[in-house]
Amino acid sequence: MKRISFLLVLLVSFSFGDVALLKNKVSNGRCFLLKSDTSGYVAFSGKRYKFFPTILDKSYAYYAIVPVNYYTKPHSDKLVTVTFEDEEKKYKTFRVKITDGKYKSERLRVNPKKAHFSKQAKIRIAREYKEAQKIYNTITPEAFWDRPFIFPMTTKITSPFGTKRLFNGSLKSYHSGTDFRAKTGTPIVSANDGQVVLVKKRFFAGNSVLVNYGEGIYLGYFHMSRFKVKKGDFVKQGQVLGLSGATGRVTGPHLHLGAKVWGVQVDPMQLIELLNQI
Ligand SMILES: [Zn+2]
């Protein structure tokens, strides 16, 4: 039903031109989806997002996923599409609204002793952050997948993306992914075909596997007890990446799934839903 209504939206929008926007309202930490008949890009908030071809769609259309940073405040904005037709540039402007994700809040009391990291730990945290950012900002101009995404686990979600973390009443951070209930040793599978770009024990995320799905889309699978893949491996959808665990800075075993689109952290559940509308 969802798919049918989406197609209707596209058909209606398509009568006005060759570029369509799925929804003109998106909350912070989530993504827009656009469709085009031809190649080109979307300009939003000072950055460009390429329309990429996909063979998932029988009409051989191009799609663009445009992420909205979590810390973006609600406001009216615009998406400008630039598409190429017979060597000619075509421009189209879509008025959009960035809404408040209405994420829940979590008040944390900080124990100064626990919040203090050693100099060595700080150096490690900075190095791991830099390494991950370099990966996320590497855009592979090709999608590795040609079928809808699946979830790495079908267990209960114990903590959704976006929960605000307030320290003494001020927003300091937020829950950067989706947590799935998983006792230690539960297989974690890849959401789609992709390439493993990092297999590493990290300070916060513990044993982590990052998979590049192409076109700027990355998923991270964290806190594993065991790895089942190596860096550089091409994995298939449903292939076991590792077993769940409680490595890194966690209070118990679970899977934390993170998502990045063109270097921007987004809600993995909404991203997968959106990709599956293609
Ligand atoms: Zn988490």
Side-chain angles (χ1 to χ4, degrees):
M1 192 61 206
K2 230 177 183 179
R3 196 174 174 91
I4 292 168
S5 55
F6 172 66
L7 286 173
L8 282 174
V9 168
L10 284 183
L11 285 173
V12 170
S13 316
F14 259 54
S15 60
F16 298 104
D18 52 355
V19 185
L21 170 69
L22 171 61
K23 256 175 90 180
N24 65 352
K25 270 187 205 165
V26 159
S27 57
N28 60 315
R30 299 199 169 117
C31 304
F32 287 106
L33 175 66
L34 295 100
K35 185 182 182 183
S36 169
D37 275 353
T38 58
S39 65
Y41 62 85
V42 185
F44 174 67
S45 210
K47 273 172 96 175
R48 287 179 178 187
Y49 302 92
K50 204 188 93 189
F51 275 110
F52 61 88
T54 169
I55 50 171
L56 258 177
D57 187 287
K58 299 287 179 285
S59 62
Y60 302 99
Y62 292 77
Y63 289 91
I65 308 267
V66 177
V68 178
N69 188 292
Y70 183 88
Y71 292 108
T72 308
K73 297 263 181 289
H75 71 284
S76 296
D77 212 320
K78 60 183 183 184
L79 296 170
V80 178
T81 60
V82 181
T83 50
F84 306 106
E85 269 175 59
D86 308 321
E87 315 265 310
E88 212 182 295
K89 268 188 184 177
K90 281 204 166 180
Y91 295 86
K92 195 167 174 178
T93 301
F94 293 91
R95 299 275 158 202
V96 294
K97 271 207 164 74
I98 311 299
T99 58
D100 182 347
K102 300 241 164 42
Y103 300 109
K104 287 197 174 121
S105 295
E106 207 171 66
R107 274 162 218 283
L108 303 173
R109 254 183 284 152
V110 199
N111 177 341
K113 271 187 188 158
K114 275 204 169 170
H116 180 80
F117 299 123
S118 68
K119 195 182 165 197
Q120 220 178 358
K122 279 184 188 163
I123 291 169
R124 183 179 165 193
I125 292 163
R127 191 180 57 225
E128 288 176 356
Y129 177 80
K130 217 174 135 188
E131 181 184 38
Q133 285 310 111
K134 199 178 161 197
I135 291 172
Y136 296 136
N137 288 316
T138 305
I139 313 297
T140 306
E142 173 198 3
F144 291 120
W145 39 274
D146 60 4
R147 49 186 156 171
F149 279 67
I150 60 169
F151 294 105
M153 219 170 248
T154 50
T155 54
K156 190 176 175 250
I157 290 167
T158 51
S159 178
F161 168 89
T163 306
K164 295 171 193 165
R165 287 175 177 167
L166 303 168
F167 294 91
N168 305 326
S170 69
L171 179 63
K172 279 286 187 295
S173 69
Y174 64 95
H175 186 225
S176 61
T178 304
D179 288 350
F180 292 81
R181 173 170 290 165
K183 58 179 200 280
T184 297
T186 311
I188 297 164
V189 302
S190 181
N192 219 329
D193 301 357
Q195 187 179 24
V196 176
V197 286
L198 184 119
V199 176
K200 197 171 192 171
K201 185 179 174 89
R202 298 196 295 166
F203 187 81
F204 289 114
N207 290 338
S208 310
V209 172
L210 298 187
V211 180
N212 177 9
Y213 294 99
E215 299 292 358
I217 300 162
Y218 288 86
L219 290 179
Y221 306 80
F222 303 147
H223 311 308
M224 291 182 177
S225 57
R226 276 185 72 181
F227 295 126
K228 295 285 187 185
V229 288
K230 294 186 306 295
K231 185 180 167 182
D233 284 357
F234 281 96
V235 290
K236 287 280 168 206
Q237 179 184 84
Q239 188 176 333
V240 177
L241 301 171
L243 305 180
S244 65
T247 55
R249 283 175 65 88
V250 289
T251 50
H254 69 277
L255 163 68
H256 173 105
L257 176 71
K260 291 267 187 174
V261 173
W262 289 75
V264 179
Q265 189 119 57
V266 295
D267 177 356
M269 304 308 274
Q270 192 251 356
L271 174 67
I272 289 175
E273 259 172 48
L274 214 55
L275 288 167
N276 288 349
Q277 305 238 28
I278 289 178

